[in-house]
Amino acid sequence: MRGLKVARFGVGLAALSLVVAACGGGDDDDTSSPSSSGAAEGGTSGGRVSIEISEPQYLVPTNTNETAGAEVLDALFVGLVDYDDQNKPVLTELASAVDSTDNKTWDIKLNSGWTFHNGEPVTADSFIDAWNYGALNANGQNNNYFFGNIEGYSALNPEDPNPDDDEVPPATAETLSGLKKVSDTEFTVTLAAPDNTFKTSLGYTAFYPMPKAAFSDLKAFEEAPVGNGPFKMNGTWNHKESIAMDAYADYKGTKPKVDGIDFKIYESLETAYNDLQAGNLDVMDSLPPSALANAEQDLGDRYQTFPSSYYQFLGFPTYDEKFQNIKVRQAISLAIDREAISKTVFNNTRVPADAFVNPVVAGYREGACGDFCSFDPARAKQLLAEGGGLSDMTITYNADGGHKEWTTAACNQIQQNLGVKCVATPKPSFDVLLDDLDKSAAKKQSFGPFRLGWIMDYPSMQNYLGPLYSTGGSSNYYGYSNKQFDDLVKKGQTEATEEAAIADWQQAEDILAQEFPVVPLFFGVTNAANSERVTNVSVDAFDRIDKVGISLK
Amino acid sequence: MGRYAARRILQMIPVFFGTTFLIFAMVYATPGDPVQRLSGEKRPDPSRAAFLRAEYNLNDPLVVQYGKYMGKLATGDLGKTFNERPVSDLLKQQWPVSVKLTLTGLGIQAFLGLGLGLLAGLRRGGVVDKAVLFTTLLFVSFPAFVMAFILQFFIGVQGRDVFHLPVAGTTQGWPVAYILPGLTTALLGLAYSSRLTRTSIVENLRADYVRTAVAKGLPRRRVVGVHTLRNSLIPVVTFLGTEVGTIFGTAIVTESIFNLNGLGRQIASSARAGEAPVVVGLVTLLVLVYVSATLIVDLLYGVLDPRIRYD
C-alpha cells in the first residue's frame, strides 16, 4: 500500500506531508525561477485555475492550523500583516497601522471601506470577536495558543483541576481583557508581557477577522466561509472533492488576475501528480517523493522549488549519560555526510543544515552552527575518543513520515566513520514516538537520539529558538535547558527594534553552537509543479501559493 | 424459504455486536495518542486537547467508550470525525460512491468473466483458452495498488488522448470516473470468474441434458445460451456475490488512488487518524454488506437451481 502511505489527511499528516515535500526540491538558491516562456511578468487576466490541496480539517480562521485549510483561507481572507520577500512583516492593504512603543500595548488601525463578502463592513469588532472566540477554551479551537500572550487569556483558559475527566474547566471570562475597541477602525491589544514578535505572528491564519454572521452558526459558516479577501466562495465546500471560488468584485485591495480558483481535493499526492501530467490540474505545491527524481526532466520549467521553513535535526535526551559529553554529539554530527544524503536519498533536493534556525527567517547566519555541521570523519573520530567513546547507538524515527531511508543512511555513515554500531530504529508513528519519549523521560531510561522536525508558525528566529530549545519549550522533547539562553530569547522579545532583537537571538544561537544540544541536519524545500496553462506561480515559506499573482498564459 | 431468511437475518445481530466491539477494541489498541496524532509533530494546545478528550470520551476505558458509542448508536447518532463532521453526513456523501464503484466493478467483471470463460470453455485447449488463462493469471498476481497505478498511469496519463478517462474522479462523476477503478477491481477477480465459468461450461457441455438438446436438433445458440450457460452460472453467481464484499474491501485502495470520495478512502484515512467511531461505523457497514450479499447469493441459489430447497 505504498500509494496510501503518502496520502495526506488531517493536521498530523499535513505536517508530515511537509516533511515528505521537504524530501524534494532543487537548488536552495533557485528560489524563484520564472517561467522561461518570456511571458512570466505578463500572462493574461481572466480564466480559472485549479490548485491541489488535501481535505482541509477546518475552514475557520481560529481553528485552521494545517496547510490545506490555510491555503483556502488565504484566498478568502485578508488579515493585518503579510510578509515580504525576506519574510519580514509588512502591513496588508487592509491595515493602516500596527504600532507599539513598548511592545506591550499595540495600536491597530484599519482602512475604512472594506467589506466582507456579505456586505458587512470590516471593523475593529470583526477582529475582537474572532480573537475572543478563538481564545475561549470551551470553543476548542486549534489556534487557541496564538492568543496566549494577550492579557486576560488565563481567565478564558483556566488550569484543568481534573485532567482525566470529560469536562473542560469553566472559564471565568468570555472576552480577553487585553482587547479594547477605540473606534470602528481602531483597537488596542495589551499583552501580558512585552513581545515584539506579536506583529510578526499577526500574519498567521488565526488572526483573520470574522463577520458577525459567523458566530450565530459556525458549522454552517464553515461550509461556505464569508471572508474579506480577494476571493469569495462559489457554492459550498464540497467535502473531499472540491472548493470553488470567484474573484470578489468589491475587493478593495489588489485584485487577482484570474476570475476564479477551483481547489481540487486529493487524498494522495501520486494521484494529483498524475492528474497534473494528464492536464487536469494546474498547480500543486508538494510533489510525491516518487516523482522527485524525474520531475525536472518531466516538467522542465514547470517544476520549481521554493524555500520552506522546515528544519530537521537529531535530538539527544539530556538524561542519557552516553550522550552527555558534548564531544560525543559533535563527533556524531561530524560523521554524518549531509551532502551525500541529500544527493543519494533526497535526489539532491534537500539542503544541509548549517544553523539552528531555518534560512527563511531574518537573522539566520550561514554557518552559525560552526565547524561541527560539516563532514570531517577524522576529526569526528578524534572527538569521539576524547569524549569517552561510544560502543553502539540507535537513531529512532517515526515510520509514518518517510524517514527510514535517510536515518539508515546516517546510521551507516556513523558506523563507517566512527566505528560505532548504529541501527535506525522505527516507532510506528510520531505520536507513539512522543508517547515513548515521555515514558522514558519519566523513568530516565533513554532510547538514544531521535529525529525531529519543525515548521515555523511565523517567520521569526524566536519561533525556532523558543519552542525548540527554551526550558519547557513546546517542542523541546529532549529537555535542553540553559538559563542564559532562555533569558536572551526573552530579552530579544522585548527589544524596541528588530535589529536589537535579532542581535540577542543570534547570541542565543551562539550558545547553542557551543553546547550543541541537537545535531542540525537538513532544511526543507517546497516543490511546486504547474500545468502548461498557467504562469506566475510562486509559493511562500508557509506553503501558500500566491493566488493574486497567478495567471493563465 | 421465509424462515430460512429470517434465521439468517437474526444471525446478523451477534455478527453486528461482535464486529463493532472487535473493531472498536482494535482501534483502541493502536499505540499512540489520537489527539497528538492530530497535531503532527507539535504538542497540541492544552485547551484544544482537553476539548477533544472531553468531546470524544478519550479518557474513558475501552468498555465505557464502547458503551457510550453503542448508546449513541441506539439513538441513531453515528458519532463524529475528529474535525466534527457527523458520520451520517459522510455516509450520505460516500455510500453512493462506493455502491456505484462496486456495481461498476462487478458489472465489468461479470461481463468479462462470463464472456472470456464462455469463449475459453467452448474452445477448450485452444489458443483463446490458453491466452485467457495466461492473462487472467497475470492479472490476479498483481497487488491491487500496483494494478491501480498501472491503469492510472498508462491509460489515464499516457493514453489520455486516446481514452479520455479521468485519473482522479473528484468531479467528473459516474460513469467516466468509475471506469478505471472499476476495471482495476474487475481485473483482479477476473481469473476466478473466468476460470469458474470455463470449468463449469466444460463440465456441463458433457452433461446428458446437453447431449439430448443437441440430439433434439436445437440450434447451438439455444444449447449453449440456455441449457449450458444457465446451469453453469450457479458457482459463478456465488463467486460474484462474495466478490461484492471483496470489491468493497479493495475500495480502500482503489478509491484512495483514483481519488473517489467513497467509504474505502474514508476508512483508510480514519484508521490512520485513530477515529474509532468512524472506522467502527463504516467497517460495520461493510460487514453488513458482506453478510447481506452472501445471504442474497444463498437465496439466489434456489432461483437458479430449483433442486436446492431451504427447510
mmCIF file of all heavy atoms in Angstrom, chain A residues 182-199:
data_model
loop_
_atom_site.group_PDB
_atom_site.id
_atom_site.type_symbol
_atom_site.label_atom_id
_atom_site.label_comp_id
_atom_site.label_asym_id
_atom_site.label_seq_id
_atom_site.Cartn_x
_atom_site.Cartn_y
_atom_site.Cartn_z
ATOM 1 N N VAL A 182 -11.370 51.058 20.106
ATOM 2 C CA VAL A 182 -11.267 52.501 20.225
ATOM 3 C C VAL A 182 -12.324 53.138 19.338
ATOM 4 O O VAL A 182 -13.097 54.000 19.747
ATOM 5 C CB VAL A 182 -9.865 52.988 19.827
ATOM 6 C CG1 VAL A 182 -9.778 54.508 19.905
ATOM 7 C CG2 VAL A 182 -8.810 52.342 20.718
ATOM 8 N N SER A 183 -12.380 52.714 18.085
ATOM 9 C CA SER A 183 -13.427 53.175 17.172
ATOM 10 C C SER A 183 -13.662 52.032 16.193
ATOM 11 O O SER A 183 -13.075 50.960 16.343
ATOM 12 C CB SER A 183 -12.976 54.436 16.438
ATOM 13 O OG SER A 183 -11.966 54.076 15.509
ATOM 14 N N ASP A 184 -14.496 52.248 15.205
ATOM 15 C CA ASP A 184 -14.776 51.176 14.246
ATOM 16 C C ASP A 184 -13.527 50.756 13.488
ATOM 17 O O ASP A 184 -13.447 49.638 12.991
ATOM 18 C CB ASP A 184 -15.855 51.632 13.251
ATOM 19 C CG ASP A 184 -17.237 51.195 13.730
ATOM 20 O OD1 ASP A 184 -17.298 50.494 14.762
ATOM 21 O OD2 ASP A 184 -18.243 51.573 13.090
ATOM 22 N N THR A 185 -12.572 51.675 13.374
ATOM 23 C CA THR A 185 -11.387 51.350 12.589
ATOM 24 C C THR A 185 -10.124 51.292 13.441
ATOM 25 O O THR A 185 -9.028 51.291 12.915
ATOM 26 C CB THR A 185 -11.165 52.396 11.478
ATOM 27 O OG1 THR A 185 -11.089 53.685 12.089
ATOM 28 C CG2 THR A 185 -12.264 52.361 10.447
ATOM 29 N N GLU A 186 -10.283 51.247 14.750
ATOM 30 C CA GLU A 186 -9.096 51.193 15.598
ATOM 31 C C GLU A 186 -9.350 50.380 16.855
ATOM 32 O O GLU A 186 -10.426 50.474 17.459
ATOM 33 C CB GLU A 186 -8.669 52.624 15.986
ATOM 34 C CG GLU A 186 -7.384 52.640 16.793
ATOM 35 C CD GLU A 186 -6.934 54.060 17.163
ATOM 36 O OE1 GLU A 186 -7.606 55.025 16.752
ATOM 37 O OE2 GLU A 186 -5.925 54.162 17.869
ATOM 38 N N PHE A 187 -8.386 49.547 17.231
ATOM 39 C CA PHE A 187 -8.471 48.861 18.528
ATOM 40 C C PHE A 187 -7.072 48.653 19.095
ATOM 41 O O PHE A 187 -6.081 48.766 18.369
ATOM 42 C CB PHE A 187 -9.252 47.552 18.428
ATOM 43 C CG PHE A 187 -8.608 46.471 17.593
ATOM 44 C CD1 PHE A 187 -8.018 45.353 18.207
ATOM 45 C CD2 PHE A 187 -8.616 46.522 16.207
ATOM 46 C CE1 PHE A 187 -7.458 44.333 17.449
ATOM 47 C CE2 PHE A 187 -8.049 45.507 15.443
ATOM 48 C CZ PHE A 187 -7.472 44.414 16.055
ATOM 49 N N THR A 188 -7.022 48.410 20.390
ATOM 50 C CA THR A 188 -5.721 48.202 21.023
ATOM 51 C C THR A 188 -5.645 46.795 21.589
ATOM 52 O O THR A 188 -6.653 46.212 21.996
ATOM 53 C CB THR A 188 -5.464 49.199 22.162
ATOM 54 O OG1 THR A 188 -6.483 49.032 23.149
ATOM 55 C CG2 THR A 188 -5.442 50.622 21.665
ATOM 56 N N VAL A 189 -4.440 46.260 21.578
ATOM 57 C CA VAL A 189 -4.190 44.947 22.139
ATOM 58 C C VAL A 189 -3.142 45.109 23.234
ATOM 59 O O VAL A 189 -2.057 45.630 22.971
ATOM 60 C CB VAL A 189 -3.643 43.972 21.070
ATOM 61 C CG1 VAL A 189 -3.440 42.581 21.669
ATOM 62 C CG2 VAL A 189 -4.571 43.922 19.881
ATOM 63 N N THR A 190 -3.482 44.700 24.441
ATOM 64 C CA THR A 190 -2.499 44.732 25.519
ATOM 65 C C THR A 190 -2.026 43.316 25.793
ATOM 66 O O THR A 190 -2.849 42.407 26.000
ATOM 67 C CB THR A 190 -3.117 45.330 26.793
ATOM 68 O OG1 THR A 190 -3.763 46.546 26.457
ATOM 69 C CG2 THR A 190 -2.036 45.576 27.842
ATOM 70 N N LEU A 191 -0.713 43.146 25.777
ATOM 71 C CA LEU A 191 -0.168 41.809 26.007
ATOM 72 C C LEU A 191 0.157 41.628 27.479
ATOM 73 O O LEU A 191 0.344 42.597 28.228
ATOM 74 C CB LEU A 191 1.110 41.621 25.178
ATOM 75 C CG LEU A 191 0.961 41.805 23.672
ATOM 76 C CD1 LEU A 191 2.303 41.586 22.978
ATOM 77 C CD2 LEU A 191 -0.075 40.850 23.101
ATOM 78 N N ALA A 192 0.211 40.377 27.901
ATOM 79 C CA ALA A 192 0.544 40.093 29.287
ATOM 80 C C ALA A 192 2.008 40.436 29.555
ATOM 81 O O ALA A 192 2.365 40.860 30.653
ATOM 82 C CB ALA A 192 0.273 38.624 29.595
ATOM 83 N N ALA A 193 2.857 40.242 28.556
ATOM 84 C CA ALA A 193 4.265 40.592 28.691
ATOM 85 C C ALA A 193 4.716 41.177 27.361
ATOM 86 O O ALA A 193 4.208 40.784 26.309
ATOM 87 C CB ALA A 193 5.083 39.352 29.024
ATOM 88 N N PRO A 194 5.651 42.121 27.371
ATOM 89 C CA PRO A 194 6.087 42.728 26.105
ATOM 90 C C PRO A 194 6.595 41.648 25.135
ATOM 91 O O PRO A 194 7.270 40.707 25.545
ATOM 92 C CB PRO A 194 7.251 43.638 26.522
ATOM 93 C CG PRO A 194 7.107 43.819 27.992
ATOM 94 C CD PRO A 194 6.389 42.633 28.519
ATOM 95 N N ASP A 195 6.218 41.800 23.870
ATOM 96 C CA ASP A 195 6.633 40.801 22.883
ATOM 97 C C ASP A 195 6.630 41.442 21.503
ATOM 98 O O ASP A 195 5.567 41.752 20.959
ATOM 99 C CB ASP A 195 5.666 39.609 22.931
ATOM 100 C CG ASP A 195 6.104 38.491 21.993
ATOM 101 O OD1 ASP A 195 7.137 38.654 21.304
ATOM 102 O OD2 ASP A 195 5.414 37.459 21.951
ATOM 103 N N ASN A 196 7.824 41.613 20.942
ATOM 104 C CA ASN A 196 7.860 42.235 19.617
ATOM 105 C C ASN A 196 7.564 41.259 18.490
ATOM 106 O O ASN A 196 7.456 41.647 17.350
ATOM 107 C CB ASN A 196 9.207 42.948 19.393
ATOM 108 C CG ASN A 196 10.368 42.009 19.635
ATOM 109 O OD1 ASN A 196 10.191 40.785 19.587
ATOM 110 N ND2 ASN A 196 11.536 42.562 19.913
ATOM 111 N N THR A 197 7.430 39.981 18.787
ATOM 112 C CA THR A 197 7.059 39.047 17.728
ATOM 113 C C THR A 197 5.549 39.069 17.485
ATOM 114 O O THR A 197 5.054 38.404 16.579
ATOM 115 C CB THR A 197 7.471 37.601 18.049
ATOM 116 O OG1 THR A 197 6.752 37.157 19.203
ATOM 117 C CG2 THR A 197 8.955 37.482 18.299
ATOM 118 N N PHE A 198 4.825 39.830 18.332
ATOM 119 C CA PHE A 198 3.359 39.852 18.174
ATOM 120 C C PHE A 198 2.962 40.303 16.772
ATOM 121 O O PHE A 198 2.132 39.688 16.118
ATOM 122 C CB PHE A 198 2.729 40.751 19.237
ATOM 123 C CG PHE A 198 1.231 40.843 19.127
ATOM 124 C CD1 PHE A 198 0.434 39.758 19.441
ATOM 125 C CD2 PHE A 198 0.618 42.014 18.689
ATOM 126 C CE1 PHE A 198 -0.948 39.831 19.322
ATOM 127 C CE2 PHE A 198 -0.762 42.091 18.564
ATOM 128 C CZ PHE A 198 -1.546 41.001 18.892
ATOM 129 N N LYS A 199 3.594 41.373 16.297
ATOM 130 C CA LYS A 199 3.260 41.892 14.968
ATOM 131 C C LYS A 199 3.533 40.812 13.907
ATOM 132 O O LYS A 199 2.734 40.600 13.004
ATOM 133 C CB LYS A 199 4.068 43.151 14.675
ATOM 134 C CG LYS A 199 3.720 43.778 13.335
ATOM 135 C CD LYS A 199 4.508 45.065 13.103
ATOM 136 C CE LYS A 199 4.232 45.616 11.718
ATOM 137 N NZ LYS A 199 5.067 46.795 11.437
#
